[in-house]
Amino acid sequence: MYLDDDPELAHQHALSAGRRAGRVAVVRETLAITAYATGDFALALRELRTYRRISGSNDQLPLLVDSERGVGRPDRALEVGRAVDRSELPAAVQVGLAIAMSGARLDLEQPELALSELEIPQLDPDRAFSYSPALFSAYAEVLDELGRSTDAADWRARAARAEEALGGPELDLVEIYEVELEPELDDETGLDDETPEPAASDSSTDVVVDDEASAESGRGDVVEDDAAEDETAAVEAPDDEPEDLGDPGEVLEDDVRAVLAEGDEDKA
């Protein structure tokens, strides 16, 4: 992805994808992210709202709040952030939202409230997660705004240690999914395109068979007439009563008795 190296090029790719697949949530999300990266906050807002409506997800809520700040509406940014129950958000999203809300407070020249926005359970100096360096750094910035330079330096040092412990800055990854499409069915036959069609009959063979049949027809007339008479007689004659074979069990018993008798004779 070109977002880090060339945001404008990434944005052009996202715009092209948006024209082709505007109803796909991830496409609108990508377009919003690239618009935000290039400073087009109005477009980012529009695309983020569309993505949220299509997907029902609040994962990009921090970006939505920050885009409201970008168009000069910090009050609206705070309203958007407060409209969601933060406890239902993933930890990383909670942290991103706290940072965006803190920034809106700074825009309104409310540094004390900006600091309180960042004082969330994830602000733990003894533990480091993927979101910890950004959260520690944001906290240090607000402390600087309040004139607490020593505390700010401590939190910056913690941010550096957390980033080092995590192995450097986190890279943005793009997940690619392979979708296996079902074979398309033919409207008339209901078969897929790969189903072989029935082999066409060979007309030349049919002609040969017909010729042979016609040649044999003269010789077989007498035989066919006799067979037809026999079939007619069989149909017209009344069915004989089925022969009473008796109970199969009785026949079986006779056979068993015969076998037993032979066995007795052998013993004798």
Side-chain angles (χ1 to χ4, degrees):
M1 192 173 182
Y2 303 107
L3 187 59
D4 294 330
D5 299 332
D6 193 341
E8 187 59 42
L9 180 58
H11 185 52
Q12 293 303 317
H13 281 292
L15 285 170
S16 178
R19 286 190 291 269
R20 290 173 170 79
R23 295 184 180 181
V24 179
V26 70
V27 172
R28 305 305 288 267
E29 180 187 26
T30 303
L31 181 53
I33 293 172
T34 58
Y36 177 88
T38 57
D40 192 345
F41 300 113
L43 178 60
L45 271 174
R46 188 189 74 187
E47 295 302 319
L48 285 167
R49 289 170 183 153
T50 303
Y51 163 73
R52 192 180 186 189
R53 184 177 66 252
I54 294 174
S55 67
S57 172
N58 284 316
D59 288 351
Q60 294 297 344
L61 186 60
L63 206 62
L64 186 63
V65 171
D66 219 38
S67 294
E68 290 286 2
R69 292 181 57 212
V71 296
R73 297 197 297 249
D75 289 324
R76 174 62 181 161
L78 293 174
E79 291 176 8
V80 172
R82 286 194 296 261
V84 176
D85 185 359
R86 300 190 192 188
S87 63
E88 297 179 355
L89 301 174
V93 179
Q94 291 183 34
V95 170
L97 180 58
I99 293 173
M101 296 285 281
S102 177
R105 294 291 187 184
L106 289 176
D107 294 341
L108 295 171
E109 299 181 355
Q110 300 171 347
E112 291 288 348
L113 293 177
L115 191 67
S116 65
E117 292 282 359
L118 296 172
E119 291 173 342
I120 57 178
Q122 289 83 6
L123 188 71
D124 186 347
D126 299 324
R127 304 178 68 185
F129 298 90
S130 59
Y131 48 75
S132 298
L135 179 59
F136 295 170
S137 296
Y139 196 66
E141 293 294 329
V142 178
L143 289 171
D144 265 338
E145 288 287 331
L146 293 170
R148 297 166 55 180
S149 301
T150 303
D151 292 336
D154 291 340
W155 280 100
R156 283 196 181 89
R158 292 188 180 104
R161 287 197 299 271
E163 186 171 307
E164 183 180 359
L166 293 169
E170 184 180 2
L171 299 178
D172 292 332
L173 300 179
V174 178
E175 296 185 49
I176 300 176
Y177 299 91
E178 293 185 2
V179 179
E180 182 176 352
L181 299 177
E182 295 292 335
E184 295 183 0
L185 299 181
D186 184 78
D187 294 337
E188 297 180 358
T189 63
L191 301 176
D192 59 77
D193 297 336
E194 297 180 358
T195 302
E197 296 181 357
S201 61
D202 190 347
S203 58
S204 61
T205 304
D206 294 341
V207 173
V208 174
V209 172
D210 290 343
D211 292 342
E212 293 177 355
S214 61
E216 293 290 337
S217 62
R219 294 192 298 271
D221 287 342
V222 176
V223 177
E224 291 178 357
D225 291 342
D226 293 342
E229 290 177 0
D230 294 341
E231 291 179 1
T232 303
V235 171
E236 293 178 353
D239 295 337
D240 294 335
E241 292 295 331
E243 183 181 357
D244 185 8
L245 298 178
D247 185 359
E250 295 179 359
V251 177
L252 180 62
E253 290 177 0
D254 293 340
D255 294 340
V256 172
R257 280 195 294 270
V259 172
L260 294 176
E262 292 177 358
D264 292 340
E265 292 177 358
D266 294 339
K267 291 180 180 180

